[in-house]
Amino acid sequence: MIRVLLVEDNEMNRDMLSRRLARKGYDVLIAVDGQEGLDLAASGTPDIILMDMSLPVIDGWEATRRLKADPVLQGIPVIALTAHAMAGDREQALGAGCDDYDTKPIELPRLLEKIAAQLARVGKSVPAA
Amino acid sequence: MFLSERRLSWARQHFAFMHSSLRTKVILWFCLIVITVGVAGWLGFHHISEEIANEADLQMHDKLDHVIDLLKITDSTYSSLVRASMRVLKLEAHRIGPPSLRTVTGPDGKPRQDLFFGDEAMSGGFDLVDKVTSIMGGTATIFMKDGDRFVRITTNVLRPDGNRAVGTELDPHGKAIVRIRAGLPFFGVVNILGKPYITGYVPIRDAAKQTIGIYYVGYALDTLVSVQNSLQQHHILQSGFFALLDATDTVIFPPNGSRQAQIAQRLISGSAMPNWRVWRETFAPWNYEVMAAMYLPDIANVTFRMIWQASLMMGGVILAVLIVSFWMAGKLSVALEQAESAKEDAVHARDAAESANRTKSTFLANMSHELRTPMNAIIGYSEMLIEEAEDIGESSFVPDLQRIRGAGKHLLALINDVLDLSKIEAGKMTLFLEDFRLSEMINEVVGTIQPLLEKNANRLDVRMSDDLGDMRADLTKVRQTLFNLLSNASKFTEKGVITLAVDRVPTETNGDRIRFRVSDTGIGMTQEQLDRLFQAFTQADASTTRKYGGTGLGLVISRKFCEMMGGDIAVESRPNVGTTFTVDLPAEVHEFSEPVAEAQAAITNKTPAGKSKSVLVVDDDPDAADLMARALERSGFSTIRASRGPEAIDLAREKKPDAITLDVMMPGMDGWSVLSVLKNDPTTAKIPVVMVTMLQNRQLGYALGAADFLTKPVDAEKLRTVIAKHAGKPSAEVLVIEDDPANRDMLVRMLEKDGLTVSTAENGSAALEALAIRRPALILLDLMMPVMDGFEFLSVVNREPRLASIPIVVVTAKDLTSIDRERLDGSVQAIIQKGAIDRERLLREVCAMIAKSEKSR
């Protein structure tokens, strides 16, 4: 079972995305803020992390930076979920070390493709739905 | 009173109101003025005092002299009067009779002497003397000699007690008696019974010439008004006065008893009178003295009064000045305060503006987030429900859910566009430049547009030249623009072909440019619709929004994006034929790149002499020439027109215009040839030339609906593919239009080998004739042909609805551009699309070129 760590503070976005990912066969872990995200990344052994960039406690950029600085965790692909065309969001995400990014509003097929691509990169395969 | 309560409070008010530093200054200033005035006053006082004393001194002598003169006049007047009176006395006396001395018996029986005039005894009455004085005024006396003395026997001289001084004797020690005794008359001032008189004494002689008496007339001095007047003629300041002193230093004038007489007395007697200063001068005729006495404190008084008056005046002036100053200072300080508060306001306003600016940015950022979040929920949940509904087989819900989702997406698109536009209008839209591979970006965009294509059963043709390479620009904006154009193309086309062609175009001075062309075979637009196209919130037609969806903002935003990057979007369209949008961007976007605008700003359209710059417009199409000329004239250029090549060359040589716009497609001598002649002629070589053509370099047929292109030398494999793609059936008929026989034969052979039926034409007009008879499935067209070149052929074909649908494959030399360039000696200045004539852009190019050629002159 591929485990996805979803770090998203907005309840509705969280609900939508986690349910849809679950229906696609992913095991979804949920964190509601940056700190929890880091904690779960360490303890939950996710295969891939979807990181909303605007988070409380620690924001997405900082969380990603810390993840990528950690020798154990840096191998986990991180896909940043950024707001649409806000100047600098995309650049910042990539600068912080995200492996890819997707813009909100989430288009599931597009996101699934990106997840698949990242999993393939680290030698894992997508779950059968 | 002046300092009424009201005025005081006004002053207080204004004083208090004053700016504190200003107030201090005013007070200090005031003190300074007061001190200065005080010191000046004190010094002045002494100085003036001295001056006055000196003046008084000088004047005193003058006055004394004057008084003496007046007294002299008095003296001479009364001397004459005395003599006149004397004559009267003598006359009157003699009228009575001759004088004689007789002895008579007195009332007491004793014998005594009496003076007789005629038979009248003088001692008896006063008729004689009174008569005389009644005529002449003054006094008169008849003296009788009595031994050594002379006695007054009849007189109207009065004793001090008021009675006539009968019986008194002539002063035995006086001056008069001496002369009488000598038998001589006397005239002069003498004292009679203590009072001074101007007198005349004349001896009375009897028949024996013996002196028996004296005639006397005299005028009392102190009764003489003229003396009074003389002495009072001049004022000596306030308390000073003139006095008349007799030989014995007796004060004759002022009259006895007056205070002044007392002072004079004291002064004469030498008693200590330190406050008085005395001048004396002799009055010889009477042996008198005139004394002037000045009360010294008067000087001080006068000085003080003068200074006081002056000070009062000055003070008044100063007071007025001060009041005005206070008032002005009040106003000034009000103004100062206002200025300060205005400055504060300005600072606050600036801070407020800055914070509002920040707020605006934050607002936009927040709004972005706030607006999109619920939208995402709507879209996301409805998508999810669709999936779940399909899963559980309740597909009846799906259409409704899809409507929700659709509406949500539409609304989100609107929100995004509105936010983008707000950002642009607020000046907050910025460029994020990065390098990216063009082919990758294009593939991405193509991927995203697929669903829309499928919706209308459209086909997308992507043509990327091999040398695209990388671009440095705002990737997101380029993508958004392309997507916008492609989605528009797809929206307005059904079962048609959408072409996306991307090329790298080198320019002479501005580096490479990337051209994206999106063409469709959709409903097209009328000129009216084209004009409204780039305005926000108007789609080409109000009804199109309803029918075709969209926000109406996409093109506006796309254009703004392009402009921000130093590029532009142009559009051409024909109703029911199709539309082509051309995006032109620099391959390397720099921020704030507007060299053309600078050029435009740098030059004016007038030569130094004030004459307008002239442009020669060469175009065989009168409408196009008209358009061009009018556009130029509107910007202040003067224009000359030529409709053919030879005419253009003649005019260029003759008129030497400042620039030439040259249509490429002209009958007879085409534009390129004209250009070559112009550039080879030294008299016209330096004139900048703008090539105006329907088509651009190598984009050639696309704007006119060419379906594909091949480059010479034609590769057989490519040819096969292209034909198959467009002609459909392998046995279709193909029309080859090519002027070069060798090329033509080669093409024919290649095509026939593949089983196609081929017909040929050697130029455009021949082709049109052939087309009138038979309609091929495909046309192979060489562009550069004489008579009617490929461009013109294409434009003609496109205007014919019957022919327009035939796919045209354009064959062109790969290095057409460089051949042209060689041919023209690198002197092509610019090429502009004629169809979507962007006046502004044309003018900018013309100006830039003129500026450039001016610089190089």
Side-chain angles (χ1 to χ4, degrees), chain B residues 450-459 487-498 548:
Chain B
Q450 287 302 340
L452 276 169
L453 289 169
E454 282 159 23
K455 214 162 77 165
N456 278 10
N458 290 318
R459 182 162 61 85
S487 85
N488 281 347
S490 188
K491 258 196 321 227
F492 294 104
T493 311
E494 263 177 75
K495 300 202 187 97
V497 180
I498 298 172
Y548 297 99

Side-chain angles (χ1 to χ4, degrees), chain B residues 726-796:
Chain B
H726 296 285
K729 330 199 275 293
S731 60
E733 185 172 326
V734 176
L735 171 61
V736 173
I737 314 172
E738 167 66 66
D739 65 314
D740 181 76
N743 286 340
R744 198 166 60 229
D745 286 349
M746 194 174 66
L747 282 169
V748 168
R749 266 188 280 121
M750 275 195 255
L751 291 164
E752 281 179 342
K753 223 159 97 185
D754 282 339
L756 295 159
T757 321
V758 184
S759 54
T760 64
E762 62 188 29
N763 57 51
S765 7
L768 283 173
E769 283 174 30
L771 281 169
I773 308 168
R774 300 174 67 86
R775 203 166 167 286
L778 179 136
I779 299 174
L780 266 184
L781 170 67
D782 171 26
L783 275 184
M784 296 302 282
M785 287 184 301
V787 184
M788 182 197 270
D789 69 4
F791 303 167
E792 197 155 339
F793 175 79
L794 274 170
S795 78
V796 170

